[in-house]
Amino acid sequence: MNTQEIILREKLDDYFSSMFEDELIDEIVQVGYIDKLKNDEILIDIGETMTHIPLILNGVVKVIRKEKKGHELVLYFLERGDTCAISFVNCLNRSKSLFKAVVEKDAEIIFLPVDKIEPWLINYKTWRQYIIDSYHFRLIEMVESIDSLAFMKMNERVYKYLNDKVKINKDVNLEITHQEIADDLNTSRVVITRLLKQLHDEGKIYSSRNKIRVLNF
DNA sequence: ACATTAAGTGATT
DNA sequence: AATCACTTAATGT
């Protein structure tokens, strides 16, 4: 066993080993490769063809829907233990990505080549379960995202967004600019500035330049 | 000291 | 809730 495999196995032990059977872990170790990605690196962009699916070991990946003229909307975040099963099905169909995925917080990710992993669906019950669960979970998050778009006012959306961020980063102190929030929610900076000021005055957050602290989380 | 980037605000639609 | 136009504040060089 080479060092790469040993490292991989070690990383998997953290989280996935309790989820997958030993034989499956063995296969993952053999075909997968691990990569460390830094903030703002793009995993995949809309229209690109996917060849691998990611298993997130740590860090955070942000999944975004993008409109042609640069307008974006954040759909959900992927964290430890997550994969994007959507990308998996996309891979099987050899179709192009509907989403853009960028690293939100430095991440270690195992990439699995799709042609190798397809048979796992048949051979490994835990893998099947994992993929189905993941698909289900993404669907739920997508619906949540539709709900917030359709039914929530912008001030509620901002607050939810901040809370989601805190949850995912495990830190109530966020380093973020008004502009970045505006981009993620597809609105304008001025609107965010005003709503944040409102939240600040209501005592729900504390905000200063480049920083927001979510209170009573 | 100056330039750049982030944030705050009134007025208008 | 969005846009414009402008101001003020914070930060980098």
Side-chain angles (χ1 to χ4, degrees), chain A residues 8-17 25 28-29 110:
Chain A
L8 250 177
R9 191 174 291 277
E10 216 168 77
K11 297 281 184 189
L12 280 164
D13 273 347
D14 284 351
Y15 190 87
F16 289 93
S17 56
I25 297 277
I28 289 175
V29 167
I110 296 180

Side-chain angles (χ1 to χ4, degrees), chain A residues 1-2 4-9 12 22-34 52 110-113 116-117 120 124:
Chain A
M1 203 192 315
N2 63 37
Q4 157 85 358
E5 285 180 16
I6 294 170
I7 292 171
L8 250 177
R9 191 174 291 277
L12 280 164
D22 293 344
E23 298 79 16
L24 179 51
I25 297 277
D26 289 342
E27 293 219 41
I28 289 175
V29 167
Q30 282 180 23
V31 304
Y33 63 89
I34 192 167
H52 294 73
I110 296 180
F111 289 96
L112 302 168
K116 297 268 174 53
I117 60 179
W120 296 356
Y124 299 107

Side-chain angles (χ1 to χ4, degrees), chain A residues 11-12 14-20 28 53-61 77-85 107-110 112 126-127 129-131 133-135 137-138 141 168 170:
Chain A
K11 297 281 184 189
L12 280 164
D14 284 351
Y15 190 87
F16 289 93
S17 56
S18 53
M19 188 164 17
F20 297 145
I28 289 175
I53 84 160
L55 296 185
I56 317 272
L57 291 174
N58 53 53
V60 179
V61 173
F77 298 96
L78 301 174
E79 54 187 329
R80 181 163 127 98
D82 286 339
T83 184
C84 197
E108 281 185 288
I109 300 173
I110 296 180
L112 302 168
T126 54
W127 180 253
Q129 196 57 50
Y130 176 65
I131 293 296
D133 284 353
S134 166
Y135 216 88
F137 206 67
R138 291 313 134 223
E141 298 206 87
I168 219 91
K170 296 178 182 70

Side-chain angles (χ1 to χ4, degrees), chain A residues 200-211:
Chain A
H200 184 100
D201 292 344
E202 290 169 7
K204 292 180 176 168
I205 64 170
Y206 172 82
S207 73
S208 56
R209 190 189 170 97
N210 284 319
K211 284 191 304 184

Side-chain angles (χ1 to χ4, degrees), chain A residues 4-216:
Chain A
Q4 157 85 358
E5 285 180 16
I6 294 170
I7 292 171
L8 250 177
R9 191 174 291 277
E10 216 168 77
K11 297 281 184 189
L12 280 164
D13 273 347
D14 284 351
Y15 190 87
F16 289 93
S17 56
S18 53
M19 188 164 17
F20 297 145
E21 56 254 65
D22 293 344
E23 298 79 16
L24 179 51
I25 297 277
D26 289 342
E27 293 219 41
I28 289 175
V29 167
Q30 282 180 23
V31 304
Y33 63 89
I34 192 167
D35 205 356
K36 292 181 191 200
L37 297 176
K38 295 248 179 93
N39 268 10
D40 299 323
E41 286 197 67
I42 296 172
L43 286 186
I44 180 112
D45 209 337
I46 292 172
E48 289 176 10
T49 308
M50 287 177 294
T51 53
H52 294 73
I53 84 160
L55 296 185
I56 317 272
L57 291 174
N58 53 53
V60 179
V61 173
K62 177 163 81 173
V63 177
I64 297 166
R65 179 86 256 243
K66 196 172 64 173
E67 176 247 318
K68 292 161 200 184
K69 273 292 166 219
H71 293 114
E72 301 189 343
L73 178 72
V74 167
L75 294 174
Y76 48 76
F77 298 96
L78 301 174
E79 54 187 329
R80 181 163 127 98
D82 286 339
T83 184
C84 197
I86 310 240
S87 72
F88 181 71
V89 177
N90 253 324
C91 284
L92 295 183
N93 300 339
R94 300 274 182 271
S95 54
K96 290 176 178 169
S97 177
L98 293 166
F99 308 116
K100 178 182 174 186
V102 314
V103 175
E104 160 88 8
K105 193 169 135 192
D106 292 1
E108 281 185 288
I109 300 173
I110 296 180
F111 289 96
L112 302 168
V114 68
D115 50 321
K116 297 268 174 53
I117 60 179
E118 194 179 343
W120 296 356
L121 277 180
I122 297 157
N123 296 335
Y124 299 107
K125 171 166 114 246
T126 54
W127 180 253
R128 205 155 53 231
Q129 196 57 50
Y130 176 65
I131 293 296
I132 290 171
D133 284 353
S134 166
Y135 216 88
H136 184 229
F137 206 67
R138 291 313 134 223
L139 180 62
I140 288 173
E141 298 206 87
M142 204 89 92
V143 167
E144 234 187 74
S145 156
I146 291 174
D147 280 350
S148 77
L149 253 179
F151 306 128
M152 290 167 73
K153 295 187 171 172
M154 191 51 88
N155 60 352
E156 298 173 298
R157 288 181 60 202
V158 173
Y159 194 55
K160 178 182 189 308
Y161 172 85
L162 292 175
N163 277 281
D164 286 349
K165 275 280 232 207
V166 167
K167 210 175 298 168
I168 219 91
N169 286 308
K170 296 178 182 70
D171 189 351
V172 293
N173 297 296
L174 303 172
E175 275 219 1
I176 193 166
T177 66
H178 298 185
Q179 186 62 60
E180 286 166 341
I181 300 174
D183 290 344
D184 281 357
L185 298 180
N186 188 26
T187 179
S188 69
R189 191 227 94 215
V190 203
V191 170
I192 295 298
T193 297
R194 290 193 165 120
L195 293 173
L196 286 178
K197 194 171 180 295
Q198 214 174 288
L199 289 171
H200 184 100
D201 292 344
E202 290 169 7
K204 292 180 176 168
I205 64 170
Y206 172 82
S207 73
S208 56
R209 190 189 170 97
N210 284 319
K211 284 191 304 184
I212 296 174
R213 176 196 297 258
V214 177
L215 305 170
N216 57 57

